Amino acid sequence: MNMNKAMQFLLNGLLMTTMLFAVSAVAQDAHTTGQFQGPKANKGHVTHSTRDGKSVLTLSDDFVVPDTPDPHWQVVDSDAQAYQLDKLKKKAFIGDKYQKEIVLPGYEKNVSKVIIWCAWAEANLGEASFSSPVQ
């Protein structure tokens, strides 16, 4: 009987340790920017996560899409290279719906900030930075 209890205790300990490492790995996989700062985009933040091996950026629920003609996702890498990505609003989205998340292209590494960019006016509407570049 004592051997069974000892074995059960060890297995429970192993299970709890494994779960702790799994939760820790998931927590390390998500990164969040500070709040957007800018003339038109100044609410909300961006979360970076990895899903199916791909980097995904997601706007928070409190983000408000700027009322401008052509807002786009734009990212800046750690070398200060800017990459204009996709539109926030597309014809497929009706009303106040918008593209809340975007998969980063494979060539885009070390993202240090996210900019909401007006392609029509070529203007920075607001930006949010990560505390350290995300892969």
Side-chain angles (χ1 to χ4, degrees), residues 89-101:
K89 292 183 174 182
K90 296 183 177 184
K91 289 182 182 180
F93 297 123
I94 298 171
D96 60 351
K97 296 187 187 224
Y98 60 95
Q99 185 174 349
K100 187 172 177 167
E101 66 178 35

Side-chain angles (χ1 to χ4, degrees), residues 47-58 73 75 84-86 90 99-108 111:
T47 301
H48 169 267
S49 60
T50 303
R51 210 177 306 144
D52 298 326
K54 296 179 182 180
S55 288
V56 179
L57 298 177
T58 305
W73 286 88
V75 293
Q84 185 173 313
L85 302 176
D86 212 352
K90 296 183 177 184
Q99 185 174 349
K100 187 172 177 167
E101 66 178 35
I102 191 165
V103 176
L104 288 173
Y107 59 83
E108 182 50 55
V111 174

Side-chain angles (χ1 to χ4, degrees), residues 1-132:
M1 273 315 243
N2 285 341
M3 187 61 116
N4 283 341
K5 284 186 178 184
M7 186 62 94
Q8 185 178 10
F9 179 76
L10 286 173
L11 288 175
N12 283 340
L14 180 62
L15 178 63
M16 288 191 323
T17 303
T18 302
M19 290 185 65
L20 179 64
F21 282 119
V23 168
S24 177
V26 169
Q28 290 176 350
D29 196 32
H31 306 90
T32 303
T33 65
Q35 182 173 325
F36 273 100
Q37 303 290 320
K40 297 283 185 181
N42 51 28
K43 290 185 179 177
H45 61 274
V46 177
T47 301
H48 169 267
S49 60
T50 303
R51 210 177 306 144
D52 298 326
K54 296 179 182 180
S55 288
V56 179
L57 298 177
T58 305
L59 293 165
S60 62
D61 290 337
D62 59 340
F63 177 78
V64 177
V65 178
D67 188 22
T68 58
D70 199 15
H72 279 70
W73 286 88
Q74 186 172 22
V75 293
V76 178
D77 66 15
S78 57
D79 294 326
Q81 288 282 77
Y83 299 89
Q84 185 173 313
L85 302 176
D86 212 352
K87 293 182 175 196
L88 276 175
K89 292 183 174 182
K90 296 183 177 184
K91 289 182 182 180
F93 297 123
I94 298 171
D96 60 351
K97 296 187 187 224
Y98 60 95
Q99 185 174 349
K100 187 172 177 167
E101 66 178 35
I102 191 165
V103 176
L104 288 173
Y107 59 83
E108 182 50 55
K109 305 286 184 200
N110 300 320
V111 174
S112 60
K113 75 170 85 170
V114 177
I115 296 174
I116 302 302
W117 180 257
C118 179
W120 183 81
E122 296 185 357
N124 180 340
L125 303 173
E127 59 187 56
S129 298
F130 290 101
S131 58
S132 61

